[in-house]
Amino acid sequence: MRIKKEQWQGIGLVLILSIVSTYLAAYFPKIGAEGIAMILGLILGNTVLSSSSFAPGVKWSEKYPIEVGIALLGSTLTFQTIKSLGVNGVSFIVINMALIIGTVFLLGRYVFKVSLKESMLMGAGNAVCGSSAIAAVAPVIDSKDDDRRTAVATVSLTGMLLLFILPALTGSLFGTDDLLRGAMVGGTVQSVGQVVGTAALINPTVVTYATLFKLLRVMMLVVVVLSFAAIAKRQNQQEDGASKKKVTLFPWYVIAFVVLVAVNSLLTLPDGWHHVAKTLSSFFGVVNLAAIGLNLKWTVIKKSGVKFLSFGFVVGAIQVILAFILIKTFL
């Protein structure tokens, strides 16, 4: 994580863009800081800020801050989340996540013809917590940087689309039942920030329920990372010459995530720490999206953007349909 001299320029650019995006989010809450950062980064990184001098620092910003953010996210969670949702709530989330990942794998293989690793990135992003989940899974499956960036962009845009649709849709489907509306938002929207933003457009009670359901999805991050790492390892061993590749099953940030969840469950960390951890984790998510936007080039988007966007939007639609069926079944 050591910062080299040639990286400071790019890091400074990403930080400025992240701060500006956070400020603009107050005026464009429906898009959110992460969405603004990615859009601005994408535009500027392909036009006036395309200089190669920024590249080392932007690449550093894309990798390391989000790892710290993932670790810090653990300190905002407790095992009490599981208890508060009850058996039916937990069943809804676990089955929903399993079905989404299975759907992504099937669509990726038979409809959109993408690689298994690309499907795993899309599955993690949609089933767990957007860009943070993709960032956690990418290194353990040895995915390509361009695949990771495209997956993050697709999942983030799908989340933004759901943000605009779900407030009205949940009202039509569930009326004034805040629990069910919160379950739909918390069980489908991709990132934590987007979940809160979407629920806030409904009412504060829905924010509370949606956050609980979302946090349970986040707690399943470790299970998804380890499962995908095992699948990637098996795939590597089956490929010619790939058996020498090593897959890291326990990245430091996954270990830190688990430890902090346990510590917060047993000791209950101070509210001040929770606030700092949430703020930093959220900001590092913005930094990640800003860097990805700056690094994502038009040529990459032209090559696979339409296919991935179609993939993402189809998965998003199926995710909502599955969530509705499961909510009616369990809640």
Side-chain angles (χ1 to χ4, degrees):
M1 194 182 287
R2 181 182 177 184
I3 302 175
K4 299 178 181 178
K5 183 178 179 180
E6 63 269 21
Q7 294 173 327
W8 281 111
Q9 187 176 2
I11 292 172
L13 170 63
V14 173
L15 286 175
I16 291 173
L17 184 58
S18 301
I19 293 169
V20 170
S21 299
T22 302
Y23 173 77
L24 291 176
Y27 298 94
F28 303 97
K30 288 190 175 183
I31 301 177
E34 291 181 346
I36 293 171
M38 187 186 69
I39 293 170
L40 288 179
L42 183 61
I43 295 172
L44 297 175
N46 283 279
T47 52
V48 295
L49 298 177
S50 60
S51 172
S52 59
S53 63
F54 294 120
V58 172
K59 192 170 184 179
W60 184 95
S61 302
E62 189 179 345
K63 176 176 174 56
Y64 294 107
I66 192 62
E67 292 182 352
V68 178
I70 293 168
L72 287 174
L73 197 58
S75 66
T76 67
L77 306 173
T78 71
F79 295 127
Q80 294 300 314
T81 300
I82 299 176
K83 183 178 179 181
S84 64
L85 291 179
V87 175
N88 286 351
V90 173
S91 298
F92 159 61
I93 289 296
V94 172
I95 294 173
N96 189 45
M97 290 178 65
L99 289 175
I100 288 301
I101 291 173
T103 299
V104 169
F105 279 21
L106 290 173
L107 288 174
R109 180 174 181 177
Y110 296 109
V111 179
F112 294 97
K113 309 296 183 182
V114 301
S115 70
L116 177 60
K117 290 181 179 180
E118 290 172 313
S119 290
M120 284 193 276
L121 294 176
M122 291 289 288
N126 283 281
V128 189
C129 53
S131 60
S132 296
I134 294 172
V137 166
V140 304
I141 66 172
D142 192 30
S143 69
K144 297 177 182 178
D145 285 344
D146 282 345
D147 291 343
R148 174 176 50 79
R149 290 166 190 151
T150 305
V152 168
T154 301
V155 168
S156 297
L157 288 172
T158 303
M160 289 170 58
L161 185 63
L162 290 178
L163 187 151
F164 285 101
I165 293 173
L166 286 184
L169 180 61
T170 56
S172 299
L173 295 176
F174 306 117
T176 59
D177 192 318
D178 291 337
L179 172 63
L180 302 187
R181 298 181 79 179
M184 173 64 83
V185 174
T188 59
V189 180
Q190 281 72 5
S191 75
V192 176
Q194 288 173 335
V195 165
V196 175
T198 304
L201 295 175
I202 303 174
N203 65 56
T205 304
V206 174
V207 172
T208 300
Y209 285 127
T211 302
L212 285 174
F213 281 105
K214 180 62 181 179
L215 292 182
L216 181 55
R217 289 168 66 192
V218 176
M219 291 181 72
M220 296 295 291
L221 174 64
V222 177
V223 176
V224 172
V225 169
L226 297 182
S227 299
F228 285 3
I231 294 172
K233 183 178 181 180
R234 185 167 62 250
Q235 183 191 39
N236 288 341
Q237 290 174 343
Q238 293 173 350
E239 295 175 354
D240 294 337
S243 59
K244 296 180 180 179
K245 291 183 180 180
K246 294 183 178 180
V247 176
T248 304
L249 286 174
F250 298 99
W252 75 268
Y253 49 87
V254 173
I255 296 173
F257 176 92
V258 175
V259 169
L260 287 173
V261 171
V263 169
N264 194 37
S265 299
L266 295 173
L267 302 179
T268 308
L269 296 171
D271 290 339
W273 171 263
H274 290 160
H275 176 72
V276 171
K278 286 180 180 178
T279 301
L280 288 176
S281 180
S282 176
F283 182 72
F284 288 149
V286 177
V287 169
N288 180 247
L289 266 294
I292 284 173
L294 289 167
N295 261 330
L296 190 58
K297 302 305 178 186
W298 293 127
T299 52
V300 175
I301 297 172
K302 185 178 179 180
K303 182 180 178 181
S304 60
V306 174
K307 178 172 67 175
F308 261 86
L309 280 176
S310 301
F311 191 6
F313 292 160
V314 169
V315 170
I318 293 174
Q319 201 167 1
V320 171
I321 294 170
L322 288 174
F324 174 74
I325 295 172
L326 291 172
I327 287 170
K328 287 295 186 180
T329 302
F330 289 99
L331 303 176

